[in-house]
Amino acid sequence: MSSPLAAAPTPSKPSKLSKPDWLASPKVFRTEVLAGLVVALALIPEAISFSIIAGVDPAVGLFASFTMAVVISVVGGRKAMISAATGAIALVIAPLNHEYGLGYLIAAVILGGLMQIALGALGVAKLMRFIPRSVMVGFVNALAILIFMAQVPEMQDVPWVVYPLILGGLLMMVFFPKLTTAIPAPLVSIVILTVITVGAGLAVPTVGDKGELPSSLPVPGLPDVPFTMDTLTTIAPYAFAFALVGLMESLMTAKLVDDITDTHSNKTRESLGQGIANVVTGFFGGMGGCAMIGQTMINVKVSGARTRLSTFLAGAFLMVLCVVFGPVVSDIPMAALVAVMIMVSVATFDWHSIQPKTLKRMPLGETTVMVATVAVVVATHNLAIGVIVGSITAMIVFAKRVAHMAEVTGVVDPDGNQVVYAVTGELFFASSNDLVYQFDYKDDPDDVVIDLSDAHIWDASSVAALDAIETKYAQRGKKVTIIGLNKPSADMHGKLAGQLTSH
């Protein structure tokens, strides 16, 4: 006879940790590794350029790109998104560095990171739901324009041979994927153009011309500032602007990647992750950063990466390329990287949004919002300002559109003793402004009924408008009865009616 123990069903083993998605297949792993390498190559001149904007040594920007990418690959909420030193962040903190020095800049990065953690914990990511699609389209198109505009200086006052190199790089990225997608076309283009320029001894601008690459890894340390209240009040405004701009660009980029990959990301985790990454970056002497839209597009749209491995390797390869292969990387012609970024610009732009048939069908207000977003971003070179202006424009357009949706229809009883006004629509600050003027206070009978069965009260402005209507009738000795309120409207009206004026 078998023992009860032997007969008992085998207890289920605790579920093992699922295998990382980048180990799903050799093809996925290869794609992620090569994508990380391409992005690392593209990060180097960008990080150096942004360091120049901020007025710091190139190593400060490169260290920031390294730590941001590595840390966010672990703690971020959006897979395959690239975070590094960015132009928007450089513009925010440059004045602080110019006036007070690098120590204050680093302190502001750390404080800004802490603010991002706090904002993330408070749920700032939920505000993304209020950004309309037209603003998102404008954001994407403005981004594409800025990416292209950033390449224009690299094509001015250069040897004529640079132009054939850029054209050759573009042609390779267009036609190479028709042969195989096993190796990212941008990587092939960079390697071939580098071999050509070095082999032929062509005198063209190279990555090395942008600045000296670091020869060692960053080491942690505290910012060289006095830890006083004066220091805090000095860096706080810059840190807060840093936190807002960084979060806005990162969350907008995450939403864009969500749409491209048809997957969902954890925006709250991304907000917290950006803060953690910036705190770490600050302690390692970096200039801070946020999501890099251009490099993210290289990673996701051009190279086909989808996992955290590509983000991690972008940062890791960046340091390896700088520290170990610095002389080789320095010889990469800028023409190769310009070609990659032009390709990214073309792929990023939403061409469908400007087709004549699309513009013809799209409501004028939607097109206005998109154009406003693009115009402000291109004018200011600040994506965050453009998104804010675009969102405000969208709110104004929406408010104007619905302001006239509240209709009032009056019907007098046959005996002439009562008039019933039926109010239809949404009552809020815009639509309720004209409500007061749609009643005949002078000639109406003494008994006035306002039927709100087909209306909804959204704010105190609407309650105040109803109070004003009742007051105007009362001044003429007439009685007003409000009926048909749904429960939320009744609750708001009952709480605020008669309480909104001091007399």
Side-chain angles (χ1 to χ4, degrees):
M1 182 177 177
S2 60
S3 67
L5 185 60
T10 305
S12 59
K13 296 180 180 180
S15 59
K16 296 180 179 179
L17 291 174
S18 59
K19 186 164 62 174
D21 45 9
W22 45 268
L23 285 178
S25 71
K27 181 180 179 181
V28 171
F29 182 77
R30 182 179 65 246
T31 298
E32 299 298 312
V33 172
L34 294 176
L37 180 57
V38 173
V39 172
L41 290 169
L43 278 173
I44 293 173
E46 294 275 303
I48 295 174
S49 298
F50 298 146
S51 298
I52 295 171
I53 292 174
V56 298
D57 188 82
V60 177
L62 290 165
F63 288 160
S65 295
F66 162 59
T67 52
M68 286 294 299
V70 169
V71 175
I72 205 67
S73 69
V74 178
V75 301
R78 172 65 258 177
K79 295 179 181 179
M81 191 165 76
I82 305 297
S83 289
T86 62
I89 293 298
L91 289 171
V92 169
I93 59 178
L96 181 63
N97 178 63
H98 293 153
E99 187 170 352
Y100 295 97
L102 180 61
Y104 281 80
L105 182 151
I106 300 300
V109 169
I110 295 173
L111 180 59
L114 293 173
M115 288 179 176
Q116 287 179 328
I117 294 173
L119 290 170
L122 291 172
V124 70
K126 295 178 182 178
L127 296 177
M128 287 298 296
R129 72 182 70 176
F130 296 106
I131 297 179
R133 179 187 177 279
S134 52
V135 173
M136 192 68 193
V137 173
F139 170 83
V140 170
N141 290 344
L143 160 66
I145 294 171
L146 288 185
I147 291 174
F148 180 81
M149 289 175 62
Q151 310 316 308
V152 173
E154 304 297 339
M155 297 184 281
Q156 295 175 331
D157 301 323
V158 294
W160 69 268
V161 73
V162 168
Y163 303 110
L165 288 173
I166 293 174
L167 178 60
L170 291 171
L171 292 174
M172 277 187 276
M173 284 183 283
V174 170
F175 292 106
F176 186 79
K178 299 181 185 297
L179 299 177
T180 178
T181 56
I183 304 176
L187 180 59
V188 174
S189 175
I190 291 170
V191 171
I192 291 178
L193 292 183
T194 303
V195 170
I196 291 174
T197 54
V198 173
L202 300 177
V204 295
T206 64
V207 171
D209 296 331
K210 288 291 183 180
E212 185 178 353
L213 303 180
S215 58
S216 61
L217 293 174
V219 293
L222 294 175
D224 184 17
V225 295
F227 292 89
T228 63
M229 186 57 66
D230 287 341
T231 299
L232 181 61
T233 55
T234 299
I235 67 173
Y238 295 94
F240 187 63
F242 170 101
L244 290 181
V245 170
L247 280 184
M248 185 171 295
E249 290 214 23
S250 299
L251 293 176
M252 288 291 288
T253 306
K255 192 173 187 298
L256 177 59
V257 177
D258 289 353
D259 294 339
I260 292 173
T261 61
D262 197 24
T263 56
H264 179 68
S265 60
N266 187 328
K267 304 299 189 303
T268 297
R269 177 175 173 180
E270 182 62 35
S271 301
L272 296 171
Q274 287 291 328
I276 294 170
N278 274 305
V279 170
V280 173
T281 295
F283 281 119
F284 276 90
M287 58 181 275
C290 62
M292 281 197 87
I293 308 168
Q295 275 65 19
T296 297
M297 290 299 101
I298 294 176
N299 197 46
V300 174
K301 204 163 188 177
V302 179
S303 301
R306 293 292 184 271
T307 77
R308 297 179 183 275
L309 181 64
S310 58
T311 305
F312 176 84
L313 290 179
F317 283 151
L318 172 65
M319 275 295 99
V320 173
L321 289 170
C322 290
V323 175
V324 181
F325 300 103
V328 176
V329 173
S330 295
D331 288 335
I332 295 176
M334 285 302 300
L337 299 176
V338 168
V340 171
M341 297 311 293
I342 290 176
M343 200 70 184
V344 170
S345 173
V346 172
T348 300
F349 197 91
D350 186 350
W351 298 100
H352 176 74
S353 67
I354 61 170
Q355 289 179 359
K357 62 179 182 180
T358 303
L359 295 174
K360 187 176 180 179
R361 294 176 181 176
M362 192 68 65
L364 180 60
E366 300 283 320
T367 303
T368 301
V369 170
M370 181 188 74
V371 172
T373 304
V374 172
V376 173
V377 170
V378 173
T380 64
H381 284 229
N382 191 314
L383 291 162
I385 294 177
V387 170
I388 293 172
V389 171
S391 298
I392 292 174
T393 304
M395 293 176 190
I396 294 172
V397 170
F398 173 76
K400 185 177 180 181
R401 185 182 302 162
V402 300
H404 306 292
M405 287 187 175
E407 297 181 356
V408 178
T409 305
V411 178
V412 181
D413 279 355
D415 58 8
N417 294 326
Q418 184 185 67
V419 60
V420 178
Y421 283 99
V423 181
T424 304
E426 308 301 318
L427 301 181
F428 68 114
F429 62 90
S431 61
S432 61
N433 283 337
D434 296 330
L435 190 64
V436 178
Y437 306 105
Q438 299 189 48
F439 295 82
D440 189 356
Y441 303 102
K442 179 181 178 182
D443 297 326
D444 277 343
D446 293 342
D447 189 6
V448 179
V449 177
I450 300 178
D451 186 357
L452 298 177
S453 298
D454 295 321
H456 187 98
I457 297 175
W458 287 103
D459 60 7
S461 297
S462 302
V463 177
L466 292 173
D467 282 352
I469 293 168
E470 291 188 77
T471 299
K472 287 180 179 294
Y473 276 117
Q475 289 171 347
R476 292 166 174 80
K478 300 176 182 181
K479 176 188 175 186
V480 174
T481 304
I482 297 176
I483 64 171
L485 289 169
N486 58 36
K487 189 177 187 308
S489 299
D491 289 344
M492 180 170 291
H493 186 264
K495 184 187 299 183
L496 298 178
Q499 306 298 318
L500 299 174
T501 59
S502 57
H503 56 277

